[in-house]
Amino acid sequence: MDVVGYYSNVAKRYEFPPFIDFIVKAWQDLETPYFLCLDEMNLAPVEQYFAEFLSAIESRSFDADGNYVTDPIIKPFKKFGEKEGKAMLKQLFGEADPIDKNPLAVQFYEKGLTLPKNLLVMGTVNMDETTFSFSRKVLDRAMSVVMNEVDYEGFFNGDTEND
């Protein structure tokens, strides 16, 4: 819920977290890379809060027209019903009826919210006895950089290991 949001029966609307707002901004500016850094990702098991995202990453491909596509992390908005689907679009785009004017709104309404090609997600982890380890599924989709010993003084003095 903290990643992709949820439909609130109390507020009678879909609650979008900041992560979704960030993805929508990336969709609106495909020429600019959008970097998202998630700090301390292993304070909880990643599979519990990031499953939708991991599944979407696994589905990445190019369609017949050469467009980058993924499975949606939020199902097509029309599946929430016409009234709710259009209300979701209004929340994201701030327009009275964005589906009439905005091709991106039509895409979300018909195909769901997918991942744009310019979104780069990274995260930090601390490995100690208070954190959770990553599963093979998560590690298979990750590029890891391990930093055990760092020579801070040498770095700030301009010395490197290659000298």
Side-chain angles (χ1 to χ4, degrees):
M1 292 187 323
D2 290 337
V3 175
V4 298
Y6 60 94
Y7 183 80
S8 170
N9 287 320
V10 175
K12 299 291 186 210
R13 69 181 189 141
Y14 198 92
E15 298 291 339
F16 291 108
F19 179 72
I20 298 300
D21 293 331
F22 190 77
I23 289 176
V24 171
K25 286 179 184 174
W27 265 113
Q28 292 171 325
D29 185 12
L30 289 173
E31 298 304 314
T32 303
Y34 277 72
F35 295 90
L36 177 69
C37 184
L38 303 173
D39 193 24
E40 299 200 33
M41 287 185 70
N42 62 333
L43 291 179
V46 174
E47 297 82 359
Q48 290 183 3
Y49 66 88
F50 221 48
E52 303 293 336
F53 186 84
L54 291 171
S55 294
I57 287 174
E58 194 170 80
S59 73
R60 292 178 296 189
S61 65
F62 289 94
D63 65 13
D65 298 326
N67 298 316
Y68 177 84
V69 294
T70 69
D71 287 346
I73 59 172
I74 299 177
K75 67 184 178 180
F77 291 11
K78 68 181 180 183
K79 291 192 175 183
F80 289 92
E82 184 178 354
K83 181 180 175 186
E84 182 56 34
K86 287 187 176 185
M88 290 167 70
L89 293 173
K90 186 176 179 182
Q91 271 183 271
L92 291 176
F93 295 103
E95 300 171 18
D97 198 0
I99 200 162
D100 291 338
K101 315 172 212 159
N102 189 330
L104 190 55
V106 173
Q107 177 182 323
F108 293 171
Y109 191 77
E110 295 294 328
K111 297 180 180 176
L113 182 72
T114 59
L115 300 176
K117 66 181 180 182
N118 61 332
L119 177 67
L120 301 151
V121 178
M122 62 194 101
T124 65
V125 284
N126 295 320
M127 300 304 288
D128 61 33
E129 65 280 350
T130 65
T131 60
F132 292 87
S133 60
F134 285 134
S135 70
R136 284 249 181 264
K137 181 176 182 173
V138 174
L139 290 173
D140 287 346
R141 288 156 185 77
M143 181 178 69
S144 300
V145 177
V146 179
M147 297 173 60
N148 288 329
E149 295 180 29
V150 179
D151 179 9
Y152 292 108
E153 281 189 38
F155 174 79
F156 288 115
N157 292 333
D159 299 331
T160 65
E161 292 180 12
N162 296 330
D163 287 343

